[in-house]
Amino acid sequence: DPDVNQATLASLLGVAVGTVNWHLKRLVAKGYVKVKRAQRRKLRYIITPEGLAFRAHLTVNYIENSLKLYRRIRLRVRELLNEVSQAGYDQIRIQGEGDIADICKLTCLEQGFQIAEQDNNFMNSVPTLEVRGMKVLLQMEKKYHGIQ
């Protein structure tokens, strides 16, 4: 939006107007944004072809990094599920929220694991994949066979 002002941008981004001004000056200096005077005290900010190319580059990097993270999480969960399977379990609990937890759920279902509901009475009887930020950890009690 070439008619947007710095105060509106600052409000939308949740930063100070001075921060927006500083970043805009850097973008102008790098040739990514062009400034034109629209009225006496009003400026228009126009993204340049170089700015569009840079934005496309950032988008591609973001998508590549997201896919790397997706693949890394799936590999980690498959490795953990292998441990769970070798211990004789066919169900798992997932503790956590968000995209990483969703990747865990999809991977578990794909690998044939039933996802157990959160139940405090049986919390330790089913292995748990715990999502902590970008990490996935396995909490599992050893399954005992025979007389204890």
Side-chain angles (χ1 to χ4, degrees):
D1 179 7
D3 294 321
V4 72
N5 61 35
Q6 290 184 17
T8 303
L9 278 175
S11 176
L12 288 170
L13 297 170
V15 298
V17 175
T19 302
V20 170
N21 184 275
W22 183 80
H23 283 287
L24 281 171
K25 283 181 180 179
R26 289 192 68 212
L27 291 170
V28 169
K30 290 182 177 196
Y32 298 145
V33 173
K34 186 167 57 172
V35 181
K36 285 191 174 182
R37 188 165 300 281
Q39 295 172 358
R40 201 174 70 128
R41 291 190 56 179
K42 197 169 188 176
L43 300 175
R44 290 184 80 159
Y45 300 99
I46 301 162
I47 192 165
T48 64
E50 293 83 5
L52 286 172
F54 183 66
R55 186 171 139 191
H57 172 75
L58 290 175
T59 302
V60 168
N61 282 347
Y62 174 79
I63 291 169
E64 285 176 350
N65 288 334
S66 295
L67 287 171
K68 283 178 190 173
L69 174 64
Y70 175 79
R71 289 183 192 112
R72 212 171 62 236
I73 295 297
R74 283 184 46 90
L75 178 63
R76 171 75 173 144
V77 172
R78 283 195 303 265
E79 289 169 352
L80 294 173
L81 291 176
N82 190 34
E83 282 183 50
V84 171
S85 181
Q86 287 179 358
Y89 293 97
D90 63 354
Q91 59 179 307
I92 192 134
R93 182 174 286 105
I94 298 173
Q95 187 177 356
E97 302 277 327
D99 293 337
I100 304 297
D102 289 343
I103 294 168
C104 290
K105 287 175 189 168
L106 290 172
T107 305
C108 289
L109 293 172
E110 177 188 85
Q111 298 296 312
F113 280 81
Q114 181 181 350
I115 297 177
E117 295 298 320
Q118 297 290 353
D119 183 353
N120 292 333
N121 296 331
F122 299 102
M123 203 61 154
N124 293 327
S125 64
V126 175
T128 301
L129 289 178
E130 183 182 347
V131 177
R132 288 190 195 164
M134 299 292 203
K135 292 183 178 181
V136 181
L137 307 170
L138 175 61
Q139 296 176 1
M140 179 170 57
E141 274 191 12
K142 298 234 186 259
K143 209 175 196 183
Y144 297 101
H145 300 283
I147 302 172
Q148 295 184 5

